Amino acid sequence: HILMQALPKVLRERPQAQVIVVGSEGPGYGAPPSDGGCWRDLLAQELFATLNEAERKRVHFVGQVPHELFTEILQVSAVHAYLTYPHVLSWSLLESMSVGCALVASDTAPVRDALEDGVNAKLVPFHDAEALANGIVELLKNPEMAAALGAEARQTAIDHFDLHSMCLPR
């Protein structure tokens, strides 16, 4: 929901940006919408009501994709937005770090276990769509900063979360 609220500003300030939204239509760990539909359709409807036709064409809902395609999407992303309530450190965050994505992520536990604001990501308050939009736009405007944060995120993944050298031995 917060991402959908942030996207109009991102699309208006970065008129060449393409947005790819990856994920299943199901409720994940939460409940489905009360109307019996799916979250993707509800959120897309809310978002598209705020966009003009040209902006709508730059938002791509691709659903759940095979792992290999997900990795390829991460590899070509200029910025990866990652928002989560305090839960578990997800494999998708670690994957995005491992490929060197520039991350704008929620300043929530356990994200803070892997990311540090200004060091290997931009962290923003979870419920602050304006801060999320500003973080995304800032990294899109500053590819050198984005590349540096992405490189640090990758190094963090290698140093602390590599399966063979770190996780299995622990």
Side-chain angles (χ1 to χ4, degrees), residues 66-108:
H67 180 260
E68 186 174 300
L69 179 56
F70 178 67
T71 301
E72 291 172 0
I73 291 169
L74 290 173
Q75 289 171 327
V76 299
S77 296
V79 175
H80 179 69
Y82 182 84
L83 302 171
T84 188
Y85 278 119
H87 189 53
V88 297
L89 189 59
S90 78
W91 67 267
S92 62
L93 176 61
L94 295 175
E95 293 258 346
S96 64
M97 292 170 65
S98 73
V99 300
C101 285
L103 287 149
V104 178
S106 56
D107 190 5
T108 54

Side-chain angles (χ1 to χ4, degrees), residues 11-27:
L11 292 165
R12 290 189 180 110
E13 290 196 25
R14 304 306 295 171
Q16 301 302 311
Q18 299 286 323
V19 176
I20 302 172
V21 181
V22 178
S24 69
E25 295 179 13

